[in-house]
Amino acid sequence: MKQINFLNNFAKFNSIKDRKSIIKLINEATRNLDEYKNNVNHNLSLNNTEIVKYNRELIQRQFYDTEVSERANDIITCISRINTQDISEKINEDLTFFLNKNDWENYFRKALEIQKKNLGENAHCVYAILHFDEATPHLHSMFTISKERIKKAVYNLSLIHISEPTRRTP
């Protein structure tokens, strides 16, 4: 039996040592490159949909204002797609056009919500862009992971015990 597979390809990056790769991924997702790895039909790029508009300030803050260990993976990217190859080959049809643009958007909006939930409250979406200009519709998304630093007081009043000074008798 042939099935439709749902794929989420996650990759982790460090905002310090992988900065060039991260910028290249942003430019690929936002279609700001001259050449692409995949077969991009630029005539169809106008159909791409920003589910979450690219937030340049968010990535800049992660690059320059967030303290990150060189071992931390604080940037998460995901390419979400439906793998229809097995069924497409069996019925000899491209399943890309079995859904309309609205249906694809609704599906990928739900997939994005699941990603956000699984990544947790410290994940902030930099962008989520649905591509219709390649062989199969797919979603590119990027998240920054950061925790707010909370300064803890050195002493807590409940830990401080004030005692009466002892008096010495001569």
Side-chain angles (χ1 to χ4, degrees):
M1 172 175 238
K2 302 292 182 183
Q3 297 183 39
I4 295 177
N5 300 311
F6 303 93
L7 304 171
N8 286 308
N9 296 324
F10 287 92
K12 298 176 182 179
F13 299 90
N14 178 277
S15 62
I16 297 169
K17 62 183 179 183
D18 299 324
R19 194 166 291 168
K20 286 182 182 179
S21 296
I22 294 165
I23 291 170
K24 188 172 181 180
L25 287 169
I26 292 169
N27 288 333
E28 202 276 329
T30 58
R31 293 299 189 238
N32 288 319
L33 291 176
D34 294 326
E35 293 182 31
Y36 297 93
K37 298 185 286 190
N38 299 324
N39 220 0
V40 174
N41 182 339
H42 293 287
N43 295 326
L44 296 176
S45 293
L46 294 172
N47 294 319
N48 293 348
T49 303
E50 287 183 314
I51 293 175
V52 174
K53 188 173 173 73
Y54 170 51
N55 186 335
R56 183 181 176 93
E57 290 177 16
L58 187 58
I59 198 69
Q60 293 295 322
R61 187 171 52 228
Q62 194 72 15
F63 283 163
Y64 303 110
D65 298 335
T66 304
E67 191 173 313
V68 176
S69 162
E70 286 193 22
R71 294 176 293 161
N73 291 319
D74 60 314
I75 303 285
I76 310 291
T77 63
C78 184
I79 299 176
S80 302
R81 69 183 71 225
I82 299 174
N83 184 5
T84 59
Q85 185 173 356
D86 288 347
I87 291 175
S88 294
E89 288 173 1
K90 184 173 183 164
I91 66 172
N92 201 24
E93 292 285 339
D94 183 354
L95 296 180
T96 301
F97 303 105
F98 280 21
L99 296 176
N100 65 37
K101 186 176 179 184
N102 220 16
D103 292 334
W104 283 112
E105 286 180 27
N106 288 335
Y107 167 75
F108 284 112
R109 284 181 194 279
K110 289 176 185 172
L112 182 64
E113 289 303 316
I114 292 168
Q115 288 175 18
K116 287 179 183 178
K117 182 180 175 186
N118 287 332
L119 290 172
E121 67 183 29
N122 294 324
H124 308 283
C125 190
V126 177
Y127 62 78
I129 302 171
L130 180 52
H131 285 181
F132 288 104
D133 58 0
E134 293 179 55
T136 305
H138 58 281
L139 180 71
H140 287 256
S141 56
M142 179 180 282
F143 296 87
T144 60
I145 308 294
S146 60
K147 277 188 172 179
E148 184 179 337
R149 293 173 132 225
I150 300 172
K151 289 187 177 182
K152 295 182 181 178
V154 176
Y155 297 102
N156 183 328
L157 287 177
S158 65
L159 299 175
I160 301 173
H161 176 69
I162 301 174
S163 61
E164 293 292 319
T166 56
R167 296 182 188 210
R168 290 190 217 177
T169 54

